[in-house]
Amino acid sequence: MIITLKDGSQREYTEPKSIIDIAFDISEGLARAACAGELDGRTVDLRTVVEKDSSLNILTARDPEGLSAMRHTCSHVLAEAVKRMRPQAKLTIGPSIENGFYYDFDTEPFTREDLDNLEKEMKKIIKEGQKLEKFTLTREAAIRLMEERDEPYKVELIQELPENEEISFYRQGGDFTDLCAGPHLMSTKPIKAFKLISSSMAYWRGDSSKAQLQRIYGTAFASKEELNAYLEHLEDIKKRDHNKLGREMRLFTTVDVIGQGLPLLMPNGVKIVQRLQRWVEDLEDNEWGYIRTKTPLMAKSDLYKISGHWDHYKDGMFVLGDEETDKEVFALRPMTCPFQYYVYKNDQHSYRELPLRYSETSTLFRNEDSGEMHGLTRVRQFTISEGHLIIRPDQVEEELAGCLDLAVHCLTTLGLQDDVTYRLSKWDPDNREKYLGDEEYWEKTQGKIRDLLVEKNVPFTEADGEAAFYGPKIDIQAKNVYGKEDTMITIQLDCAIAENFDMYFIDQNGDKVRPYVIHRTSMGCYERTLAWLIEKYAGKFPTWLCPEQVRVLPISDKYESYAGEVAKELKKNGVFCSVDNRSEKIGYKIRETRLDKIPYMLVVGQQEEADKAVSVRSRFAGDEGVKPLGEFIEQICREIRTKEIRVEVEGEK
C-alpha cells in the first residue's frame, strides 16, 4: 500500500501498519510528538491500523486536532486522579473543548485546595508515563464491566448504544479504565503543561431534572509558555467579565428574593440603556421609516394559539392560569409580533402603503432554564429593539437588505462590527413537525436570505435546526469573554404567518393578497448589549455612553464654587458630570477618577477660575492642557453627538 504524506511524499508498505508505526518510520522525533493522525481527512487514534492506500498527516500538539487529543487524554488523567483521591466518585463524561477540557463527576463539590491537590496527583500520573491501551467489548460485556466498577452513568451511556455496537475503552496504567471513543495519546508522558482552572455545578445530560454533578475545567498546551500566556489571558477575561465588572461598577445587581434571571439595573446602568434606547428609537423613527407601537405585556392564550407559539413555544412562556380550571388563561409575551399584526389589521391597507415598518421597545418574558441564567446575557425579562415589517412579496430583497444595513450601522456605531459572525439559520428537514410550511417553502425562503448575504459579501455559516418555526433567519452572533456564543441581532423572513391571522393587502387589481413579514431587531436585547459593551470596553465605554462623562476636581474647597459653575454649564449642554468636593488631596481624586473609568476629569484651581478655563485630563490623551471652558464643552458635545470612539492612551489604562 502507498501512504501519501502531507508534504506530498510517499511511503510504500507491504503489510498493514498502525499510524504510530508509520510515524516512527518517518522520524523518531515526530513519533514522540505525535498526538493523533489525520487519515483521509478524518482525525483518528494513533493506534489505528492503515490497510490500504491512504493520505496521512501526523498531528502534534501544534495542530488543533492533535492538541484536542492531548487535552482529551488530560481529562482522563484528571478522572484517574479524582478516583484515587475520591474512590466513591462516579464518572460521567470528560471531553476536550475549545480552550481545554472538562470532566463531570458525581461527588461532593471541589474547592480550590482540592483542585491544587488534584494537580499534584495528575503530575504523579504523568510522571509515571502510564500507557493508554485501547480495547473493545460487546455491548453486553461493556455493561457488565461498568456495573462491576459501579459506574452507573457509564452504564446508562452504553445502554443507549445499538445492541450490535462494539464499545471502545481505554485502559490507563493498571487500574483506571474509561469508556471512550478516543483519540488519545499513547501514554500520559507527553503532557507537559496543564492547569485545572475552576469547578462548578452541572446537570447530568444538561437536564435540570437530573442529578447535580461537579464539573472541573482544565486546559493543556504544548508548552509552558503557551500555558502561561493563556493563564494571563484568563486574568484579563476575569477583569472584563460583565457579571463581575458590571456589579463592581454598580451597573446592575441581582437579588435572590426577586429571582434568578431578573436583574436590577442600577442608576448608572439605566443611563447607558436609556442612551441606547433613545438613540435606536430616533434612528428607526427619523431615518429608517419605522412607525412606533406600544402593546400589552400579556395576552390570552387565544392569541398565541393563532400565532402558533402555544404549540411551538409554550414551554418557554410564563403562563398565568390553568386551561382546565380557569375561564381565561393568559401568558406574558415572549415576543411582540402577534400584537403588532393586530395593529396592522385595524385598518385595510393598499399595496401602495407597503412596506409598513412597525417598531417597539418591547419588554419580553421567557422562561429560561435556571441552569442557563448568566448575568445580563441570559435573563427571564429583557427589553429589545423589536420590529416587524409588513411587506409585499416583491419587496423582500430590498427590505431584508435594509434590515441588515440598519443592524450593521448599529454595530459600527457601537464599535462592535468586527466582533460578530453571521449565520443563516435554517430548518431541520428531519424534524418537520416543528415548523410551518413544506420543503419548497423553506428552500425558497432560505434561498432569499442566502442570496442577500452573498450579494452583500457577508461571510456566513449555515446551521440546520436554528430557524424560527415560521421562517429562516440571519443571526448575528458574538462570543462573550469566555467564548460562549449568543445571538445578538436577528432578522427573520416569514412568508407563512399572515395566513394564520388573515392578514392581507389590496393589490393593484383590487384583490386580497397575503403580505410577508420580516421580524427583526436593530440592536437586539438591551441587557445583552450592555453586557457585551462592558466586556468589549472593560467598562471604559465610549464617552457618549458613559453614565458619568466628566468629573470636576477642585484643587481645594476654595474652588468648589467655580467647580459647581463648570458642572452647571456642562449639564446645561447635556453632559453627565459630577463634582468631587471631598476633602482629599488632588492626586487621590485623580487616581480615583481614573479607577472609576471616567472619560474626562477637569481640574480647577485659582488660575482656571480666573481664566474661566479648565485643566483637562482624559483617558484618551492623558494631560490635554488648559482649555477655555467653552472650548472644552464644544469638544465633548461634538464627541457625544458624533458618537466618536476615541482610542485610549497607553498611560491612562
Side-chain angles (χ1 to χ4, degrees):
M1 64 179 177
I2 296 175
I3 304 299
T4 303
L5 302 176
K6 185 180 179 181
D7 62 2
S9 63
Q10 295 183 329
R11 299 259 168 167
E12 187 170 356
Y13 301 99
T14 58
E15 57 186 21
K17 270 190 172 294
S18 68
I19 291 175
I20 190 63
D21 287 339
I22 296 173
F24 271 109
D25 189 47
I26 297 169
S27 138
E28 187 173 337
L30 177 63
R32 287 177 177 171
C35 296
E38 184 181 35
L39 185 65
D40 294 330
R42 186 170 58 96
T43 303
V44 297
D45 196 278
L46 291 169
R47 300 157 188 80
T48 302
V49 175
V50 186
E51 299 178 325
K52 60 182 180 63
D53 293 354
S54 305
S55 62
L56 176 64
N57 179 23
I58 306 298
L59 301 171
T60 71
R62 302 298 176 190
D63 302 295
E65 300 85 353
L67 183 58
S68 177
M70 173 184 282
R71 288 170 169 171
H72 195 179
T73 303
C74 208
S75 78
H76 279 223
V77 173
L78 166 62
E80 181 177 357
V82 169
K83 291 294 282 187
R84 285 185 179 186
M85 298 181 70
R86 297 186 180 183
Q88 301 307 314
K90 306 305 178 191
L91 304 175
T92 65
I93 58 171
S96 64
I97 54 177
E98 184 177 358
N99 292 313
F101 60 89
Y102 71 80
Y103 209 113
D104 289 347
F105 305 91
D106 189 346
T107 185
E108 295 300 310
F110 295 97
T111 65
R112 182 65 246 183
E113 184 180 1
D114 291 331
L115 299 189
D116 293 340
N117 290 332
L118 285 169
E119 281 185 4
K120 293 175 184 176
E121 194 62 37
M122 289 172 70
K123 288 176 182 176
K124 291 180 185 177
I125 295 168
I126 292 167
K127 190 175 181 180
E128 291 167 7
Q130 294 184 4
K131 290 183 179 180
L132 278 83
E133 300 173 332
K134 184 178 182 179
F135 64 94
T136 60
L137 295 173
T138 64
R139 183 172 175 273
E140 183 180 345
I143 291 173
R144 189 162 55 249
L145 174 64
M146 289 295 101
E147 286 177 339
E148 290 170 356
R149 290 176 172 264
D150 193 19
E151 296 291 357
Y153 297 97
K154 300 293 184 181
V155 171
E156 181 179 330
L157 291 171
I158 297 168
Q159 287 173 333
E160 294 176 358
L161 298 172
E163 287 191 17
N164 59 353
E165 187 89 1
E166 197 171 48
I167 316 297
S168 65
F169 292 84
Y170 282 82
R171 182 182 297 110
Q172 193 167 284
D175 300 323
F176 183 76
T177 298
D178 204 352
L179 170 72
C180 190
H184 281 289
L185 305 182
M186 299 300 293
S187 80
T188 61
K189 197 170 185 179
I191 300 172
K192 302 294 184 186
F194 75 94
K195 182 71 178 175
L196 298 184
I197 305 297
S198 63
S199 64
S200 64
M201 188 272 288
Y203 291 110
W204 172 233
R205 314 300 283 269
D207 186 339
S208 60
S209 67
K210 296 185 185 296
Q212 288 189 11
L213 307 174
Q214 302 304 317
R215 175 172 296 179
I216 296 179
Y217 285 100
T219 192
F221 286 89
S223 68
K224 289 183 179 179
E225 290 75 17
E226 289 173 292
L227 174 62
N228 290 336
Y230 178 71
L231 295 178
E232 288 179 14
H233 170 65
L234 286 185
E235 287 303 309
D236 181 60
I237 282 175
K238 290 177 184 177
K239 294 175 185 175
R240 290 176 178 270
D241 181 358
H242 88 275
N243 210 11
K244 177 176 181 291
L245 185 55
R247 296 169 194 271
E248 291 173 353
M249 295 181 68
R250 299 182 299 282
L251 300 177
F252 78 96
T253 188
T254 52
V255 181
D256 286 344
V257 295
I258 291 175
Q260 198 175 12
L262 299 170
L264 301 175
L265 287 186
M266 306 295 281
N268 283 342
V270 171
K271 283 186 177 180
I272 297 175
V273 169
Q274 186 181 61
R275 287 229 159 179
L276 288 169
Q277 182 177 323
R278 289 175 177 174
W279 165 58
V280 169
E281 289 180 351
D282 288 345
L283 190 66
E284 291 178 340
D285 299 354
N286 301 332
E287 299 181 35
W288 291 80
Y290 282 81
I291 305 165
R292 194 148 296 279
T293 66
K294 185 174 177 61
T295 56
L297 299 179
M298 68 175 75
K300 294 195 297 184
S301 60
D302 307 49
L303 178 70
Y304 304 115
K305 289 174 182 176
I306 295 170
S307 68
H309 289 101
W310 201 254
D311 292 332
H312 293 276
Y313 203 79
K314 184 181 176 184
D315 289 345
M317 298 167 65
F318 286 102
V319 177
L320 310 176
D322 187 322
E323 286 189 287
E324 294 184 5
T325 59
D326 296 326
K327 185 176 180 181
E328 290 184 323
V329 174
F330 288 79
L332 299 177
R333 65 180 183 186
M335 67 293 295
T336 309
C337 43
F339 297 85
Q340 290 190 331
Y341 298 156
Y342 280 97
V343 174
Y344 176 82
K345 281 170 60 66
N346 190 61
D347 296 297
Q348 183 169 282
H349 299 280
S350 160
Y351 72 97
R352 295 178 183 274
E353 297 175 63
L354 304 187
L356 281 171
R357 307 182 187 100
Y358 295 113
S359 63
E360 183 167 333
T361 303
S362 308
T363 298
L364 305 179
F365 305 86
R366 294 187 184 171
N367 192 8
E368 299 279 5
D369 187 274
S370 60
E372 295 294 318
M373 299 295 105
H374 178 68
L376 296 176
T377 58
R378 187 71 67 171
V379 293
R380 287 174 168 154
Q381 176 185 308
F382 56 94
T383 302
I384 193 168
S385 59
E386 194 169 17
H388 298 89
L389 290 75
I390 316 299
I391 63 175
R392 302 191 308 262
D394 63 288
Q395 295 172 325
V396 169
E397 290 81 2
E398 181 180 357
E399 292 302 315
L400 276 176
C403 291
L404 182 58
D405 290 344
L406 174 56
V408 170
H409 174 77
C410 290
L411 290 170
T412 303
T413 303
L414 294 171
L416 301 170
Q417 70 276 13
D418 295 329
D419 301 324
V420 299
T421 57
Y422 294 80
R423 183 179 76 192
L424 167 52
S425 295
K426 304 187 296 182
W427 79 319
D428 179 1
D430 295 327
N431 190 13
R432 296 185 179 215
E433 67 278 2
K434 180 181 173 183
Y435 304 95
L436 300 179
D438 56 16
E439 186 170 352
E440 182 181 355
Y441 168 83
W442 283 94
E443 289 303 318
K444 178 183 175 182
T445 52
Q446 288 169 179
K448 294 278 189 187
I449 291 180
R450 187 183 293 109
D451 291 346
L452 170 66
L453 293 170
V454 170
E455 181 185 337
K456 291 278 190 180
N457 294 315
V458 175
F460 66 97
T461 58
E462 299 191 11
D464 291 337
E466 294 294 336
F469 68 85
Y470 46 73
K473 306 184 289 179
I474 299 171
D475 282 329
I476 302 178
Q477 307 287 108
K479 292 182 179 180
N480 68 11
V481 289
Y482 294 104
K484 184 182 182 301
E485 188 173 82
D486 284 302
T487 299
M488 309 306 296
I489 298 173
T490 187
I491 302 166
Q492 308 169 2
L493 177 59
D494 178 356
C495 305
I497 205 74
E499 182 77 25
N500 294 28
F501 287 88
D502 191 26
M503 296 165 63
Y504 64 87
F505 64 91
I506 305 301
D507 72 4
Q508 55 267 49
N509 300 318
D511 296 327
K512 291 182 177 181
V513 179
R514 297 295 184 204
Y516 290 171
V517 178
I518 297 175
H519 310 240
R520 50 98 272 183
T521 55
S522 52
M523 192 196 64
C525 166
Y526 286 99
E527 288 83 356
R528 187 172 288 180
T529 299
L530 176 56
W532 192 8
L533 290 167
I534 293 169
E535 296 187 351
K536 164 73 175 181
Y537 294 106
K540 297 178 181 179
F541 307 106
T543 301
W544 74 278
L545 283 175
C546 284
E548 185 179 355
Q549 295 159 333
V550 177
R551 187 173 293 174
V552 186
L553 311 179
I555 289 176
S556 71
D557 55 9
K558 287 189 281 185
Y559 307 107
E560 286 182 11
S561 177
Y562 179 59
E565 291 176 26
V566 169
K568 184 177 180 181
E569 285 301 308
L570 287 164
K571 289 176 182 177
K572 277 172 56 178
N573 285 274
V575 179
F576 295 145
C577 67
S578 68
V579 178
D580 187 346
N581 283 328
R582 294 177 300 166
S583 299
E584 300 285 355
K585 292 183 178 179
I586 191 64
Y588 179 84
K589 292 181 180 182
I590 288 172
R591 284 192 298 276
E592 284 241 319
T593 304
R594 191 176 293 151
L595 289 172
D596 287 343
K597 303 174 175 53
I598 312 300
Y600 292 93
M601 60 183 94
L602 305 181
V603 180
V604 295
Q606 182 179 8
Q607 193 62 51
E608 286 80 14
E609 182 176 25
D611 297 340
K612 297 299 178 185
V614 288
S615 180
V616 182
R617 292 188 64 87
S618 74
R619 290 197 326 237
F620 320 109
D623 188 350
E624 296 191 17
V626 176
K627 297 180 181 181
L629 177 58
E631 180 183 326
F632 173 75
I633 290 175
E634 183 181 342
Q635 170 195 322
I636 192 172
C637 286
R638 182 173 58 251
E639 183 182 336
I640 292 169
R641 184 177 63 254
T642 61
K643 299 175 178 58
E644 179 184 357
I645 299 175
R646 297 186 67 185
V647 178
E648 186 175 292
V649 71
E650 188 72 23
E652 292 298 311
K653 288 185 178 177

PDB file of all heavy atoms in Angstrom, residues 136-152:
ATOM      1  N   THR A 136     -11.842  -3.175  22.940  1.00  0.00           N
ATOM      2  CA  THR A 136     -13.278  -3.125  22.659  1.00  0.00           C
ATOM      3  C   THR A 136     -13.993  -4.311  23.287  1.00  0.00           C
ATOM      4  O   THR A 136     -13.398  -5.371  23.507  1.00  0.00           O
ATOM      5  CB  THR A 136     -13.550  -3.118  21.141  1.00  0.00           C
ATOM      6  OG1 THR A 136     -13.011  -4.304  20.568  1.00  0.00           O
ATOM      7  CG2 THR A 136     -12.932  -1.897  20.476  1.00  0.00           C
ATOM      8  N   LEU A 137     -15.268  -4.109  23.600  1.00  0.00           N
ATOM      9  CA  LEU A 137     -16.117  -5.151  24.165  1.00  0.00           C
ATOM     10  C   LEU A 137     -17.474  -5.122  23.470  1.00  0.00           C
ATOM     11  O   LEU A 137     -17.870  -4.102  22.896  1.00  0.00           O
ATOM     12  CB  LEU A 137     -16.329  -4.924  25.667  1.00  0.00           C
ATOM     13  CG  LEU A 137     -15.107  -5.021  26.599  1.00  0.00           C
ATOM     14  CD1 LEU A 137     -15.510  -4.588  28.001  1.00  0.00           C
ATOM     15  CD2 LEU A 137     -14.537  -6.432  26.609  1.00  0.00           C
ATOM     16  N   THR A 138     -18.183  -6.216  23.553  1.00  0.00           N
ATOM     17  CA  THR A 138     -19.564  -6.205  23.103  1.00  0.00           C
ATOM     18  C   THR A 138     -20.370  -5.329  24.048  1.00  0.00           C
ATOM     19  O   THR A 138     -19.938  -5.034  25.173  1.00  0.00           O
ATOM     20  CB  THR A 138     -20.152  -7.621  23.103  1.00  0.00           C
ATOM     21  OG1 THR A 138     -20.179  -8.100  24.463  1.00  0.00           O
ATOM     22  CG2 THR A 138     -19.332  -8.559  22.227  1.00  0.00           C
ATOM     23  N   ARG A 139     -21.550  -4.936  23.615  1.00  0.00           N
ATOM     24  CA  ARG A 139     -22.390  -4.076  24.449  1.00  0.00           C
ATOM     25  C   ARG A 139     -22.693  -4.753  25.782  1.00  0.00           C
ATOM     26  O   ARG A 139     -22.611  -4.123  26.848  1.00  0.00           O
ATOM     27  CB  ARG A 139     -23.681  -3.760  23.696  1.00  0.00           C
ATOM     28  CG  ARG A 139     -24.646  -2.816  24.405  1.00  0.00           C
ATOM     29  CD  ARG A 139     -25.776  -2.460  23.448  1.00  0.00           C
ATOM     30  NE  ARG A 139     -26.807  -1.649  24.067  1.00  0.00           N
ATOM     31  CZ  ARG A 139     -27.851  -2.135  24.742  1.00  0.00           C
ATOM     32  NH1 ARG A 139     -27.980  -3.458  24.877  1.00  0.00           N
ATOM     33  NH2 ARG A 139     -28.754  -1.339  25.259  1.00  0.00           N
ATOM     34  N   GLU A 140     -23.003  -6.017  25.764  1.00  0.00           N
ATOM     35  CA  GLU A 140     -23.335  -6.755  26.983  1.00  0.00           C
ATOM     36  C   GLU A 140     -22.145  -6.810  27.936  1.00  0.00           C
ATOM     37  O   GLU A 140     -22.275  -6.573  29.144  1.00  0.00           O
ATOM     38  CB  GLU A 140     -23.787  -8.171  26.624  1.00  0.00           C
ATOM     39  CG  GLU A 140     -24.232  -9.005  27.821  1.00  0.00           C
ATOM     40  CD  GLU A 140     -24.671 -10.413  27.427  1.00  0.00           C
ATOM     41  OE1 GLU A 140     -24.902 -10.649  26.219  1.00  0.00           O
ATOM     42  OE2 GLU A 140     -24.765 -11.250  28.334  1.00  0.00           O
ATOM     43  N   ALA A 141     -20.942  -7.102  27.378  1.00  0.00           N
ATOM     44  CA  ALA A 141     -19.737  -7.182  28.213  1.00  0.00           C
ATOM     45  C   ALA A 141     -19.355  -5.812  28.750  1.00  0.00           C
ATOM     46  O   ALA A 141     -18.858  -5.679  29.881  1.00  0.00           O
ATOM     47  CB  ALA A 141     -18.587  -7.782  27.408  1.00  0.00           C
ATOM     48  N   ALA A 142     -19.584  -4.770  27.937  1.00  0.00           N
ATOM     49  CA  ALA A 142     -19.265  -3.409  28.368  1.00  0.00           C
ATOM     50  C   ALA A 142     -20.142  -3.002  29.547  1.00  0.00           C
ATOM     51  O   ALA A 142     -19.661  -2.405  30.529  1.00  0.00           O
ATOM     52  CB  ALA A 142     -19.449  -2.441  27.199  1.00  0.00           C
ATOM     53  N   ILE A 143     -21.430  -3.318  29.474  1.00  0.00           N
ATOM     54  CA  ILE A 143     -22.339  -3.007  30.584  1.00  0.00           C
ATOM     55  C   ILE A 143     -21.903  -3.749  31.842  1.00  0.00           C
ATOM     56  O   ILE A 143     -21.855  -3.174  32.939  1.00  0.00           O
ATOM     57  CB  ILE A 143     -23.785  -3.368  30.201  1.00  0.00           C
ATOM     58  CG1 ILE A 143     -24.301  -2.410  29.118  1.00  0.00           C
ATOM     59  CG2 ILE A 143     -24.694  -3.336  31.429  1.00  0.00           C
ATOM     60  CD1 ILE A 143     -25.648  -2.787  28.555  1.00  0.00           C
ATOM     61  N   ARG A 144     -21.539  -5.014  31.678  1.00  0.00           N
ATOM     62  CA  ARG A 144     -21.120  -5.816  32.827  1.00  0.00           C
ATOM     63  C   ARG A 144     -19.871  -5.221  33.474  1.00  0.00           C
ATOM     64  O   ARG A 144     -19.778  -5.128  34.707  1.00  0.00           O
ATOM     65  CB  ARG A 144     -20.864  -7.259  32.375  1.00  0.00           C
ATOM     66  CG  ARG A 144     -20.643  -8.232  33.534  1.00  0.00           C
ATOM     67  CD  ARG A 144     -20.831  -9.683  33.107  1.00  0.00           C
ATOM     68  NE  ARG A 144     -19.978 -10.040  31.971  1.00  0.00           N
ATOM     69  CZ  ARG A 144     -20.431 -10.310  30.747  1.00  0.00           C
ATOM     70  NH1 ARG A 144     -21.741 -10.257  30.497  1.00  0.00           N
ATOM     71  NH2 ARG A 144     -19.604 -10.639  29.768  1.00  0.00           N
ATOM     72  N   LEU A 145     -18.906  -4.779  32.648  1.00  0.00           N
ATOM     73  CA  LEU A 145     -17.670  -4.191  33.178  1.00  0.00           C
ATOM     74  C   LEU A 145     -17.966  -2.938  33.994  1.00  0.00           C
ATOM     75  O   LEU A 145     -17.439  -2.767  35.106  1.00  0.00           O
ATOM     76  CB  LEU A 145     -16.714  -3.854  32.027  1.00  0.00           C
ATOM     77  CG  LEU A 145     -15.433  -3.102  32.411  1.00  0.00           C
ATOM     78  CD1 LEU A 145     -14.553  -3.956  33.326  1.00  0.00           C
ATOM     79  CD2 LEU A 145     -14.663  -2.666  31.178  1.00  0.00           C
ATOM     80  N   MET A 146     -18.807  -2.068  33.471  1.00  0.00           N
ATOM     81  CA  MET A 146     -19.102  -0.821  34.177  1.00  0.00           C
ATOM     82  C   MET A 146     -19.966  -1.058  35.414  1.00  0.00           C
ATOM     83  O   MET A 146     -19.859  -0.329  36.399  1.00  0.00           O
ATOM     84  CB  MET A 146     -19.760   0.176  33.227  1.00  0.00           C
ATOM     85  CG  MET A 146     -18.818   0.741  32.169  1.00  0.00           C
ATOM     86  SD  MET A 146     -17.466   1.760  32.861  1.00  0.00           S
ATOM     87  CE  MET A 146     -16.066   0.614  32.827  1.00  0.00           C
ATOM     88  N   GLU A 147     -20.816  -2.068  35.378  1.00  0.00           N
ATOM     89  CA  GLU A 147     -21.584  -2.418  36.575  1.00  0.00           C
ATOM     90  C   GLU A 147     -20.671  -2.946  37.658  1.00  0.00           C
ATOM     91  O   GLU A 147     -20.835  -2.610  38.842  1.00  0.00           O
ATOM     92  CB  GLU A 147     -22.654  -3.455  36.221  1.00  0.00           C
ATOM     93  CG  GLU A 147     -23.837  -2.872  35.453  1.00  0.00           C
ATOM     94  CD  GLU A 147     -24.861  -3.926  35.056  1.00  0.00           C
ATOM     95  OE1 GLU A 147     -24.486  -5.127  35.008  1.00  0.00           O
ATOM     96  OE2 GLU A 147     -26.026  -3.557  34.790  1.00  0.00           O
ATOM     97  N   GLU A 148     -19.686  -3.751  37.285  1.00  0.00           N
ATOM     98  CA  GLU A 148     -18.718  -4.271  38.252  1.00  0.00           C
ATOM     99  C   GLU A 148     -17.920  -3.144  38.886  1.00  0.00           C
ATOM    100  O   GLU A 148     -17.551  -3.210  40.065  1.00  0.00           O
ATOM    101  CB  GLU A 148     -17.770  -5.257  37.564  1.00  0.00           C
ATOM    102  CG  GLU A 148     -18.428  -6.578  37.169  1.00  0.00           C
ATOM    103  CD  GLU A 148     -17.534  -7.427  36.284  1.00  0.00           C
ATOM    104  OE1 GLU A 148     -16.427  -6.943  35.931  1.00  0.00           O
ATOM    105  OE2 GLU A 148     -17.938  -8.559  35.926  1.00  0.00           O
ATOM    106  N   ARG A 149     -17.655  -2.103  38.092  1.00  0.00           N
ATOM    107  CA  ARG A 149     -16.891  -0.959  38.605  1.00  0.00           C
ATOM    108  C   ARG A 149     -17.802   0.083  39.269  1.00  0.00           C
ATOM    109  O   ARG A 149     -17.316   1.139  39.681  1.00  0.00           O
ATOM    110  CB  ARG A 149     -16.097  -0.315  37.463  1.00  0.00           C
ATOM    111  CG  ARG A 149     -14.942  -1.197  36.988  1.00  0.00           C
ATOM    112  CD  ARG A 149     -14.227  -0.585  35.783  1.00  0.00           C
ATOM    113  NE  ARG A 149     -13.023  -1.353  35.475  1.00  0.00           N
ATOM    114  CZ  ARG A 149     -11.801  -1.041  35.904  1.00  0.00           C
ATOM    115  NH1 ARG A 149     -11.621   0.023  36.657  1.00  0.00           N
ATOM    116  NH2 ARG A 149     -10.764  -1.791  35.582  1.00  0.00           N
ATOM    117  N   ASP A 150     -19.107  -0.199  39.331  1.00  0.00           N
ATOM    118  CA  ASP A 150     -20.078   0.694  39.971  1.00  0.00           C
ATOM    119  C   ASP A 150     -20.038   2.092  39.349  1.00  0.00           C
ATOM    120  O   ASP A 150     -19.912   3.106  40.028  1.00  0.00           O
ATOM    121  CB  ASP A 150     -19.806   0.777  41.480  1.00  0.00           C
ATOM    122  CG  ASP A 150     -20.976   1.429  42.232  1.00  0.00           C
ATOM    123  OD1 ASP A 150     -22.094   1.477  41.670  1.00  0.00           O
ATOM    124  OD2 ASP A 150     -20.756   1.915  43.357  1.00  0.00           O
ATOM    125  N   GLU A 151     -20.164   2.107  38.011  1.00  0.00           N
ATOM    126  CA  GLU A 151     -20.192   3.367  37.270  1.00  0.00           C
ATOM    127  C   GLU A 151     -21.542   3.472  36.539  1.00  0.00           C
ATOM    128  O   GLU A 151     -21.660   3.197  35.348  1.00  0.00           O
ATOM    129  CB  GLU A 151     -19.027   3.439  36.265  1.00  0.00           C
ATOM    130  CG  GLU A 151     -17.644   3.440  36.884  1.00  0.00           C
ATOM    131  CD  GLU A 151     -17.331   4.725  37.653  1.00  0.00           C
ATOM    132  OE1 GLU A 151     -18.175   5.650  37.661  1.00  0.00           O
ATOM    133  OE2 GLU A 151     -16.254   4.794  38.269  1.00  0.00           O
ATOM    134  N   PRO A 152     -22.605   3.886  37.252  1.00  0.00           N
ATOM    135  CA  PRO A 152     -23.958   3.864  36.675  1.00  0.00           C
ATOM    136  C   PRO A 152     -24.142   4.793  35.470  1.00  0.00           C
ATOM    137  O   PRO A 152     -24.944   4.501  34.587  1.00  0.00           O
ATOM    138  CB  PRO A 152     -24.848   4.298  37.845  1.00  0.00           C
ATOM    139  CG  PRO A 152     -23.930   5.036  38.778  1.00  0.00           C
ATOM    140  CD  PRO A 152     -22.602   4.369  38.654  1.00  0.00           C
TER     141      PRO A 152
END
